[in-house]
Amino acid sequence: MKQIIALGGGGFSMEPENPLLDQYILQQSMKKNPKICFLATASGDSENYISRFYQFFEKQDCQPSHLSLFNPPTRNVESFLLDKDIIYVGGGNTKNLLVLWKEWGLDNILKKAWEQGIILAGISAGSICWFEQGVTDSYGDGLEPLQCLGFLEGSNCPHYDGESDRRPSYQQLITNKKIKPGFATDDGVAIHFIDQEIHNIVSSRPNAKAYKVYDDNDKVIEKELATNFLGLL
């Protein structure tokens, strides 16, 4: 069973006092004490980001670790990653993430991990990267389409409600055929895929949503998808 959990925003890095999405990720491993490894490549392996990962996950029932490509813990990165139950990818610059992963062969290692049943999860850049294409601000000036790993079909746009230019930019790119139709997620929402199908959509915020966005005769269609709030109303 191949699983990817794509967070539009939220988790320990955006909602440190709200554990709902990260606890959901841990629960999907079906293990009492899963091994979870953080990849902070997109942030340049920010020490602060890695520290915040440990601050949260060391308090959970799991075995946290991280892989830094700037200070790797081992020469055998493949064995290190394939030993994990969950691989969690942080946010940052998606283009740099993809370039570094390709240079290190992580693109192929992560595909092998996915095919072997290791859960792949991530926020923002760590959500975009799994799709064929994503909407990114990696270039520093505006939002652009980016070719990604292609594990999941279509495109992805995180922070749909969290950044004012995300929604209009994504819709315009789809209308202009510059990016494939796909899925948009508000901050606090995660789409859980099994193989290519949506298994579940969950949120840490009561009103946060996910959307299927596509073009129909040059008119953009935004279809709200059923989202399950993980908290108590």
Side-chain angles (χ1 to χ4, degrees), residues 18-21 23 188 202-206 228-233:
N18 187 343
L20 294 174
L21 289 180
Q23 289 177 345
V202 296
S203 71
S204 60
R205 305 178 185 183
N228 301 306
F229 176 52
L230 294 170
L232 298 174
L233 292 172

Side-chain angles (χ1 to χ4, degrees), residues 104-170:
W104 280 80
L106 254 68
D107 50 349
N108 294 322
I109 294 170
L110 288 167
K111 188 170 186 181
K112 186 180 292 187
W114 178 54
E115 291 171 343
Q116 290 183 6
I118 296 171
I119 296 169
L120 304 181
I123 178 174
S124 194
S127 173
I128 293 168
C129 65
W130 312 120
F131 291 80
E132 290 179 289
Q133 296 172 310
V135 178
T136 183
D137 56 3
S138 296
Y139 300 96
D141 184 19
L143 293 164
E144 300 286 343
L146 181 69
Q147 299 298 315
C148 300
L149 295 176
F151 296 1
L152 295 174
E153 296 171 355
S155 65
N156 179 234
C157 179
H159 308 304
Y160 204 50
D161 69 335
E163 299 175 8
S164 61
D165 53 345
R166 288 275 177 171
R167 189 182 234 114
S169 295
Y170 187 45

